[in-house]
């Protein structure tokens, strides 16, 4: 590999990890926190949604800080998958398994996001009345066992992807430079992922009240 290609790969890898943490990781945390308002009832949840809908230049913000970073992050992730050489079945080390769980969860999340965006943003664009009672709309959608299961699996895959991505980003950015530091921060990421997953799960269950 030439020096210029190595430098380009190095910079793209750092950009990829950065986009996964900010803004995408930050958005996931805020999104799950917002959805957790469902635990407090339809009025509280719908009020939170209405407040967000009033943000100035919301569409531009969503395109620049969510959609575009997501496309770049997912696109380079697919490139990494295509060039990957880890073999978890032949070399069953934890790091190898985490590497492939990150890639597999990323592919699954692309499919889940297509479902989620179709049920929310696309449906809302076709019928703006949905946002007048988004709680009721989501309650009806999630009342179907298959839809609820897909959302629950998608939620935990997203949490896994973020928590594992944080651990990897710390290595990529030189924040955890030895095995002991990586192991300690790995425990922090596990605790963070479990906490975020529980919050998200409680939000989903809140829609079924």
């Amino acid at each position: 590999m030439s020096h210029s290609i190595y430098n380009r790969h190095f910079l793209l890898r750092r950009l990829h990890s950065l986009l996964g943490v900010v803004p995408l990781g930050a958005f996931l945390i805020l999104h799950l926190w917002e959805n957790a308002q469902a635990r407090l009832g339809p009025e509280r949840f719908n009020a939170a949604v209405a407040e967000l809908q009033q943000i100035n230049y919301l569409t531009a913000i969503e395109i620049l800080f969510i959609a575009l970073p997501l496309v770049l992050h997912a696109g380079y992730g697919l490139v990494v998958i295509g060039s990957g050489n880890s073999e978890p079945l032949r070399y069953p080390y934890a790091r190898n398994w985490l590497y492939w769980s990150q890639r597999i969860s990323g592919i699954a999340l692309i499919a889940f996001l297509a479902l989620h965006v179709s049920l929310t943003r696309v449906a809302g664009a076709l019928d703006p009345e949905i946002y007048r009672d988004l709680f009721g709309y989501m309650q009806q959608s999630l009342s179907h066992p298959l839809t609820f299961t897909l959302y629950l699996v998608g939620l935990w895959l997203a949490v896994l992807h973020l928590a594992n991505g944080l651990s990897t980003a710390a290595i990529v950015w030189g924040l955890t430079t030895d095995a002991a530091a990586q192991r300690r921060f790995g425990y922090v990421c596990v605790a963070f992922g479990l906490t975020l997953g529980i919050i998200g799960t409680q939000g989903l269950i809140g829609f079924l009240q």
Side-chain angles (χ1 to χ4, degrees):
M1 181 182 295
S2 69
H3 185 67
S4 61
I5 295 177
Y6 174 82
N7 285 338
R8 183 173 61 186
H9 175 72
F10 178 78
L11 292 175
L12 287 174
R13 183 169 173 78
R14 286 204 165 194
L15 176 62
H16 178 254
S17 67
L18 180 61
L19 290 175
V21 177
V22 181
L24 297 178
F27 171 73
L28 176 62
I29 295 171
L30 291 174
H31 189 52
L32 294 182
W33 182 263
E34 176 198 3
N35 286 348
Q37 303 298 314
R39 296 174 55 248
L40 304 177
E43 291 185 3
R44 181 67 173 270
F45 178 80
N46 286 335
V49 171
E51 185 176 350
L52 285 175
Q53 293 298 311
Q54 297 303 315
I55 294 177
N56 200 16
Y57 298 111
L58 178 60
T59 301
I61 292 173
E62 289 179 329
I63 292 174
L64 291 176
F65 296 102
I66 301 175
L68 183 58
L70 180 60
V71 169
L72 294 174
H73 183 78
Y76 186 71
L78 291 175
V79 171
V80 171
I81 292 173
S83 61
N85 56 9
S86 293
E87 300 178 48
L89 296 179
R90 184 176 178 184
Y91 304 107
Y93 297 109
R95 180 57 59 183
N96 223 6
W97 281 102
L98 289 173
Y99 174 92
W100 279 107
S101 68
Q102 190 73 352
R103 297 334 180 230
I104 294 171
S105 64
I107 294 174
L109 281 172
I110 293 174
F112 171 71
L113 286 174
L115 169 66
H116 181 51
V117 171
S118 297
L119 286 177
T120 54
R121 301 300 296 179
V122 175
L126 296 175
D127 182 9
E129 291 296 316
I130 286 176
Y131 282 99
R132 293 185 180 275
D133 183 18
L134 186 59
F135 182 96
Y137 173 77
M138 291 304 300
Q139 185 178 55
Q140 181 179 9
S141 299
L142 294 173
S143 66
H144 298 283
L146 178 59
T147 304
F148 182 84
T149 301
L150 290 174
Y151 262 78
L152 186 62
V153 172
L155 161 68
W156 280 97
L157 285 176
V159 169
L160 166 66
H161 199 79
L162 175 58
N164 193 24
L166 286 174
S167 177
T168 303
I171 299 173
V172 171
W173 286 88
L175 301 177
T176 52
T177 56
D178 58 70
Q182 292 169 12
R183 184 169 56 254
R184 289 193 298 269
F185 187 62
Y187 294 143
V188 173
C189 292
V190 169
F192 166 76
L194 288 174
T195 301
L196 190 60
I198 290 171
I199 291 174
T201 301
Q202 288 181 330
L204 284 179
I205 295 174
F207 285 112
L208 302 182
Q209 295 176 356

